[in-house]
Amino acid sequence: QQGLAMERLTFLHRLATIHNWGYRRLLSLSVSASEAFSQCRDWVLLRRAQQMAAVDGLIEILKEHIESDPPELITSRLVLDGAHLHRHRNVQLQPIPIPDPDPF
């Protein structure tokens, strides 16, 4: 009888130890998942802000060309690459206008 009670006590102790270990592992996994989600959310928000800034830059360039008097032609290549606006000044879309020679 007493041996059975001791065996039961040992079993319950081991069961409680395994339960506590599993609970701690679950809590640490929950914290890790929460941090990973937070980092992904921050990355997505930053990426969106960068894309919006690139689009705003493109809009500003187009607005400058449209509102200039007289309206200028866009001569350099504009590329939106993800969240980056690239203005390729070396890639000319039209030939550079050559001034007329003096009539002298």
Side-chain angles (χ1 to χ4, degrees):
Q1 193 74 347
Q2 189 177 4
L4 188 60
M6 289 299 292
E7 198 63 35
R8 182 177 178 165
L9 187 63
T10 304
F11 174 74
L12 290 176
H13 174 68
R14 288 180 181 168
L15 188 62
T17 302
I18 292 171
H19 178 267
N20 290 335
W21 174 81
Y23 184 73
R24 285 193 311 269
R25 293 286 294 170
L26 186 61
L27 283 180
S28 69
L29 179 64
S30 175
V31 168
S32 298
S34 177
E35 289 174 356
F37 177 78
S38 178
Q39 287 176 352
C40 288
R41 179 170 163 68
D42 292 344
W43 180 81
V44 167
L45 291 175
L46 179 63
R47 176 87 176 174
R48 182 181 180 276
Q50 288 177 339
Q51 287 176 345
M52 293 303 289
V55 169
D56 287 342
L58 178 63
I59 289 171
E60 191 62 35
I61 291 170
L62 294 175
K63 188 171 98 174
E64 287 174 7
H65 282 284
I66 291 171
E67 292 178 352
S68 63
D69 193 30
E72 299 175 15
L73 295 175
I74 299 175
T75 57
S76 57
R77 182 175 179 201
L78 304 173
V79 177
L80 269 177
D81 182 22
H84 304 286
L85 172 64
H86 300 285
R87 193 174 192 175
H88 301 281
R89 298 181 192 274
N90 294 336
V91 179
Q92 297 294 320
L93 299 178
Q94 295 185 351
I96 300 173
I98 301 172
D100 293 332
D102 289 334
F104 298 107

